[in-house]
Amino acid sequence: MPKTQAAAQPETLTLDRIQTPIGTALVVTDEEGVLRAFNWTDYEDRMRSWIGRRYPKAALAEGRSPTRPAFERYFAGNLDALSSVPWDGAGTEFQKKVWATLCDIPTGETWTYAKLARAIGKPAAVRAVGLANGSNPVAVVVPCHRVIGSDGSLTGYGGGLPRKKWLLAHEGATFKDRVAA
């Protein structure tokens, strides 16, 4: 489950740009400080389009997110810093179940898509789990980067495989490195 469940559509969303070792992160929070979207500047158009579809009545304004300190601590090496960030992903019940289960993957560990499918009680739904994982709107906080291929290799990541590689290495996870830095 999300750390918080918003009762209504937000009226205002704040977009913060946070410098990280792997690019500028886009962090979108609502009036309550709940994370609604996370992406990278090279995917800003895609994220804005997604926000427009999910929160059509919300005004998006640049500003400072109350989650900024947690993101700064995480990227500086405090790997537990994001565990306190409240989030709410706009998605189907199935997607939300997958996203909530992603939060069960311990820092420094990885799961396969098959293991994630088993964890939600749908062992035959590996492809659907992969699609839900790939549509996670609050990446890094909901650690979709911790899901790898059945052979231990890196597989798709919305922010690009070099970022996935960095995040996993930052967290001390083991994986087969087949991505150029």
Side-chain angles (χ1 to χ4, degrees), residues 32-52:
E32 307 295 321
V34 175
L35 181 67
R36 296 296 189 126
F38 176 95
N39 218 315
W40 305 95
T41 52
D42 37 336
Y43 300 103
E44 184 168 353
D45 290 344
R46 179 176 70 187
M47 184 189 77
R48 284 180 177 270
S49 176
W50 182 89
I51 289 169

Side-chain angles (χ1 to χ4, degrees), residues 26-27 35-40 71 75 82 87 102 133-145 157-159 167:
L26 302 172
V27 175
L35 181 67
R36 296 296 189 126
F38 176 95
N39 218 315
W40 305 95
F71 280 100
F75 283 103
L82 298 178
W87 61 273
L102 286 168
N133 187 61
S135 62
N136 170 18
V138 287
V140 183
V141 171
V142 173
C144 55
H145 60 277
Y157 179 66
L167 291 166

Side-chain angles (χ1 to χ4, degrees), residues 7 11 29 34 36 49 54 60 62 66 69-70 76 78 85 89 97 118-119 126 128 145 165-166 173 181:
E11 292 181 22
T29 51
V34 175
R36 296 296 189 126
S49 176
R54 296 300 188 276
L60 181 63
E62 302 248 352
N78 179 346
V85 172
K97 186 172 187 176
R118 287 191 305 274
V126 175
H145 60 277
K165 175 183 171 181
W166 189 93

Side-chain angles (χ1 to χ4, degrees), residues 21-109:
I22 51 176
T24 303
L26 302 172
V27 175
V28 178
T29 51
D30 66 17
E31 303 95 332
E32 307 295 321
V34 175
L35 181 67
R36 296 296 189 126
F38 176 95
N39 218 315
W40 305 95
T41 52
D42 37 336
Y43 300 103
E44 184 168 353
D45 290 344
R46 179 176 70 187
M47 184 189 77
R48 284 180 177 270
S49 176
W50 182 89
I51 289 169
R53 288 190 311 276
R54 296 300 188 276
Y55 308 112
K57 296 179 180 178
L60 181 63
E62 302 248 352
R64 189 174 176 91
S65 169
T67 65
R68 175 185 275 264
F71 280 100
E72 290 173 338
R73 287 191 311 273
Y74 170 81
F75 283 103
N78 179 346
L79 302 179
D80 295 325
L82 298 178
S83 64
S84 63
V85 172
W87 61 273
D88 188 7
T92 66
E93 289 307 311
F94 180 81
Q95 289 171 325
K96 290 177 183 182
K97 186 172 187 176
V98 170
W99 302 335
T101 305
L102 286 168
C103 294
D104 294 338
I105 305 173
T107 303
E109 293 185 22

